[in-house]
Amino acid sequence: MSTKKVSYFYNPNVGNFHYGPGHPMKPHRLSVIHSLVLNYGLHRKMQVYRPYRASAHDMCRFHSDEYIDFLQRVTPQNIQGYTKYLSHFNVGDDCPVFEGLFDFCSMYTGASLEGAMKLNNNHCDIAINWSGGLHHAKKFEASGFCYVNDIVIGILELLKYHARVLYIDIDVHHGDGVQEAFYLTDRVMTVSFHKYGNYFFPGTGDMYEIGAESGRYYSVNVPLKEGIDDTSYVQVFKPVISNVMEFYQPTAIVLQCGADSLANDRLGCFSLSTRGHGECVKFVRDFNVPILVVGGGGYTLRNVARCWTYETSLLVDEQISNELPYTEYLEYFAPDFTLHPDVVTRQDNANSRQYLEAITRHVYDNLKMCQHSPSVQMHDVPGDAFTEDEKIKEESDPDVRLSQAEEDKLVEPKNEFYDGEKDQDKPDIKVET
Ligand code: LLX
Ligand code: CA
Ligand code: ZN
């Protein structure tokens, strides 16, 4: 049995946003995952919170005021008046203006921020936010479907209490926005595993990008080629992360679990199974350091849902059946209706054993150059991002009936609760008031 306390953050509205017809990013995947989590009964093993909603002020801890002000004002109805800003902030095709865009950003960012706060206050050992992980967002602009970088904002909160934060990114894309934010500091080590070469978005993440100034050797990149399978990935992931942990000795970890590194992803090119992806999550979990776990990319909806449900089960240390439980989305999982379908790929693994060994050695040689677990002089600790009162104030709308305000404090609308039998020994979903 795990003794780890797990907090899970989910806003029941986050799955209702639409990037627009034909766009591969489907926030609906978050509703599907949550439904699987509930129907497997995993909510009984965690504290489930309806998260705080980040304010513009919270977002400006990383982003520029002008960019956040723009995100707050622009809507599909008034976009004509903002044409000259669209290219300036890289908003348009990949990062469209859709209905409720700022609310969407506020929901997923608030969840990562509150997760970091709960870890800081030792209210949990693991905080999960599958709606977060938007690692491409930059200080001044949107990028690669990402607007506000919840990861950077979560790490900034962790840095109030933690001397060294390790960021690990297993999305198929380079974690460029997070790397860039902390490129000059040794307080955060960023480690990204990603496809690199033949221009694959975002085009950065070469093994020679290692950080600069005080941050030299604190950016670690593991560029990989297409078709990497479980065996090869784990062969590089485990030694790299073991060495990083030994040299850096982080006191908190942020793990970005982008599921576009799975086989048959609509936009990815790796060949990982959900078990292989999960093996990396388990490996990080077993270092017993507080972890903020976030989502990321993932464009074959049924596989993203399988992967993050399975990883939730690993994080709460609960074995779940390979046969999927009934949910309103069961038809998405035809014809096998299993959690771990067989992986069939048409792609060869372009990563030779020699190539992977060379990359691992290169990372090790760079780690030897960095100072062992650099320390910081701790000053007065700044206050938490928000108080419990502010969380409630954010959520209650004076224009809405009181009963709605009360319902808003619930994790789920009443009719969405898992309705199965209750385990007498376990607390039910904890409602944060
Ligand atoms: N990598 C990634 C991680 C999180 C989100 C989006 C991305 N972007 C891509 O995967 C990508 C793919 C092809 C071209 C450009 C970018 C993300 C997660 C949740 C909500 C919004 C974005
Ligand atoms: Ca990555
Ligand atoms: Zn991605």
Side-chain angles (χ1 to χ4, degrees), residues 193 222 224 228 232-240 356 359-360:
F193 299 79
V222 184
L224 300 165
I228 193 164
S232 296
Y233 199 90
V234 167
Q235 182 205 324
V236 66
F237 185 83
K238 288 188 173 175
V240 164
L356 297 172
I359 291 279
T360 310

Side-chain angles (χ1 to χ4, degrees), residues 125-389:
D125 307 299
I126 298 174
I128 305 175
N129 171 23
W130 294 128
S131 69
L134 286 78
H135 60 177
H136 298 307
K138 307 282 163 50
K139 178 170 179 167
F140 300 103
E141 64 178 30
S143 173
F145 322 158
C146 304
Y147 303 86
V148 170
N149 200 314
D150 62 297
I151 303 170
V152 171
I153 292 166
I155 293 176
L156 290 172
E157 187 66 19
L158 289 170
L159 288 171
K160 289 180 180 174
Y161 288 70
H162 291 275
R164 292 176 303 285
V165 176
L166 171 62
Y167 172 66
I168 304 171
D169 185 318
I170 59 171
D171 192 286
V172 74
H173 299 102
H174 179 226
D176 57 343
V178 185
Q179 172 177 295
E180 189 176 300
F182 300 111
Y183 208 63
L184 306 180
T185 179
D186 58 5
R187 298 274 318 271
V188 179
M189 178 175 276
T190 60
V191 184
S192 177
F193 299 79
H194 46 266
K195 154 76 186 166
Y196 182 77
N198 299 332
Y199 188 75
F200 190 78
F201 186 87
T204 50
D206 188 356
M207 65 201 263
Y208 302 107
E209 290 173 24
I210 57 169
E213 299 178 19
S214 305
R216 189 168 164 85
Y217 303 118
Y218 294 90
S219 291
V220 175
N221 283 298
V222 184
L224 300 165
K225 300 176 200 284
E226 63 279 5
I228 193 164
D229 58 17
D230 292 349
T231 312
S232 296
Y233 199 90
V234 167
Q235 182 205 324
V236 66
F237 185 83
K238 288 188 173 175
V240 164
I241 295 303
S242 296
N243 288 327
V244 161
M245 292 299 292
E246 189 182 325
F247 278 92
Y248 193 58
Q249 299 192 358
T251 59
I253 299 175
V254 178
L255 176 59
Q256 198 267 20
C257 297
D260 46 13
S261 44
L262 293 174
N264 301 312
D265 185 82
R266 188 175 155 194
L267 301 183
C269 59
F270 283 177
S271 302
L272 296 182
S273 70
T274 44
R275 287 195 205 277
H277 201 274
E279 183 74 22
C280 300
V281 173
K282 219 183 324 175
F283 191 71
V284 174
R285 177 200 71 182
D286 288 344
F287 283 97
N288 296 321
V289 170
I291 320 177
L292 173 60
V293 178
V294 295
Y299 305 95
T300 301
L301 192 152
R302 58 187 180 278
N303 291 339
V304 182
R306 286 175 165 122
C307 183
W308 292 346
T309 302
Y310 173 56
E311 289 171 357
T312 306
S313 81
L314 294 175
L315 293 165
V316 298
D317 208 3
E318 178 78 6
Q319 289 210 9
I320 56 174
S321 164
N322 188 35
E323 188 186 326
L324 292 170
Y326 177 78
T327 66
E328 61 270 50
Y329 308 113
L330 194 61
E331 84 244 30
Y332 294 5
F333 303 96
D336 54 289
F337 305 103
T338 63
L339 189 60
H340 301 290
D342 291 337
V343 170
V344 185
T345 53
R346 283 151 274 121
Q347 200 156 33
D348 287 339
N349 181 357
N351 301 269
S352 66
R353 178 179 269 275
Q354 293 86 321
Y355 176 73
L356 297 172
E357 282 170 2
I359 291 279
T360 310
R361 207 172 321 111
H362 171 86
V363 170
Y364 183 72
D365 290 343
N366 276 336
L367 285 170
K368 279 193 297 193
M369 303 297 291
C370 72
Q371 198 196 335
H372 262 274
S373 59
S375 59
V376 278
Q377 288 232 296
M378 295 301 268
H379 298 283
D380 285 348
V381 178
D384 288 340
F386 59 89
T387 62
E388 285 301 309
D389 281 356

Side-chain angles (χ1 to χ4, degrees), residues 5-25:
K5 206 170 153 188
V6 180
S7 294
Y8 170 96
F9 297 87
Y10 177 71
N11 187 313
N13 301 317
V14 77
N16 298 333
F17 295 92
H18 299 272
Y19 271 63
H23 198 289
M25 174 47 72

